[in-house]
Amino acid sequence: MTTADPQQLTLPDGSRYDFERLVATPLKTIEEIFQRGTMPKMTEMAGWEFQGRNLSFMSIILRIRRFTKGFLPLPEGALDSTVIDGYNILIKQKGGQDKPWIPWTRKGVPLKHGFFKVHTAPHGDDKYPHAIFFDYAEGVNPWWHPGRTLKDYTVQVYPDDPTLLVGKAYLALGSLRIFGGHYLMRRNPKWNP
C-alpha cells in the first residue's frame, strides 16, 4: 500500500474517495477536497462526457440533481489547448448514483443545452486559480437562457486520477458571485467518441 499524498484527503481507513463515497460526504469535507484539488488537464477532459451530481438542496427543486457534461474533442492534430467547448445534457432525475444516467432525447438524440467554454487560466477571474473555469456566458446559448449567468470552477480530486472531479457553481451578476452549490463529476467510461 502506498502512502497517501498529505495534500489530498482520504477516508479514515486510508482509502481514496470515489464518486459514491463523495455523494455521502458532508459539504464541509467536499469544500476541503475542492480547496486541495488540482487543475485538470484539457487533454484528459476533451472528448469525454462526465456524469454529475449537484449537491445543493435547490438542485432537487430545480430538477437538476443529476446531469451530464460533455467536452468536445481537441481540434485534429492539437496536442493540447487552453480553451475547449463544453455542453450539458438533460438527464432524467430518477435513480441514485448507481443507476444509469438516462438522457432526455428528441428523435433519439440526447438534448444538449447549457453550452460553455472551458479555460485553463483564470480568464479574468482568479477566484480559484487551481481550478479550470467553465464560462456559460461564452457558450452558444440563447440570450434568454438562465445558464448564461453561471460560472463553474472544477478541480481534480487526486492529481493522478482525471476521472473524478469536484466543483463549485456560482451565479454571476456583473462582478458579484453568488454561490450556488458544490457538484461532483465522474468520467463516463462508456462514452468517448
Side-chain angles (χ1 to χ4, degrees):
M1 183 171 151
T2 58
T3 306
D5 180 347
Q7 172 72 17
Q8 309 306 316
L9 286 182
T10 57
L11 292 159
D13 66 2
S15 62
R16 290 175 155 204
Y17 284 94
D18 58 19
F19 188 82
E20 290 76 16
R21 289 178 175 160
L22 282 173
V23 167
T25 299
L27 292 177
K28 180 180 177 184
T29 304
I30 296 289
E31 176 62 20
E32 188 174 353
I33 290 169
F34 176 85
Q35 294 298 337
R36 294 180 182 212
T38 60
M39 184 179 290
K41 294 178 182 172
M42 291 291 199
T43 54
E44 297 287 354
M45 298 184 73
W48 287 97
E49 284 186 349
F50 286 73
Q51 298 168 333
R53 181 171 169 118
N54 285 307
L55 300 179
S56 72
F57 178 75
M58 187 59 76
S59 68
I60 298 171
I61 295 168
L62 296 174
R63 300 194 45 76
I64 55 170
R65 184 69 134 187
R66 293 159 54 103
F67 62 88
T68 291
K69 284 189 191 305
F71 303 90
L72 296 183
L74 295 177
E76 190 173 330
L79 299 177
D80 203 356
S81 180
T82 58
V83 180
I84 57 175
D85 290 297
Y87 57 87
N88 285 273
I89 294 177
L90 288 173
I91 299 295
K92 295 180 181 180
Q93 297 299 302
K94 293 184 179 179
Q97 63 267 16
D98 59 336
K99 301 295 182 196
W101 263 236
I102 300 171
W104 287 101
T105 61
R106 181 175 294 132
K107 297 181 180 178
V109 177
L111 294 175
K112 293 182 180 178
H113 73 107
F115 299 90
F116 54 91
K117 294 276 186 190
V118 184
H119 298 274
T120 55
H123 191 63
D125 188 326
D126 60 357
K127 189 167 187 63
Y128 301 109
H130 69 298
I132 56 172
F133 178 63
F134 302 168
D135 192 342
Y136 289 79
E138 292 185 16
V140 289
N141 299 303
W143 65 268
W144 47 263
H145 192 284
R148 288 182 61 83
T149 60
L150 290 176
K151 309 284 185 201
D152 292 350
Y153 305 87
T154 303
V155 299
Q156 223 168 267
V157 175
Y158 299 107
D160 62 346
D161 182 3
T163 67
L164 186 61
L165 308 172
V166 64
K168 297 176 77 169
Y170 285 83
L171 180 66
L173 303 172
S175 61
L176 179 66
R177 298 288 184 266
I178 301 169
F179 178 59
H182 292 90
Y183 57 87
L184 309 171
M185 295 186 350
R186 64 178 170 196
R187 194 158 71 185
N188 183 354
K190 298 179 182 173
W191 193 93
N192 182 276

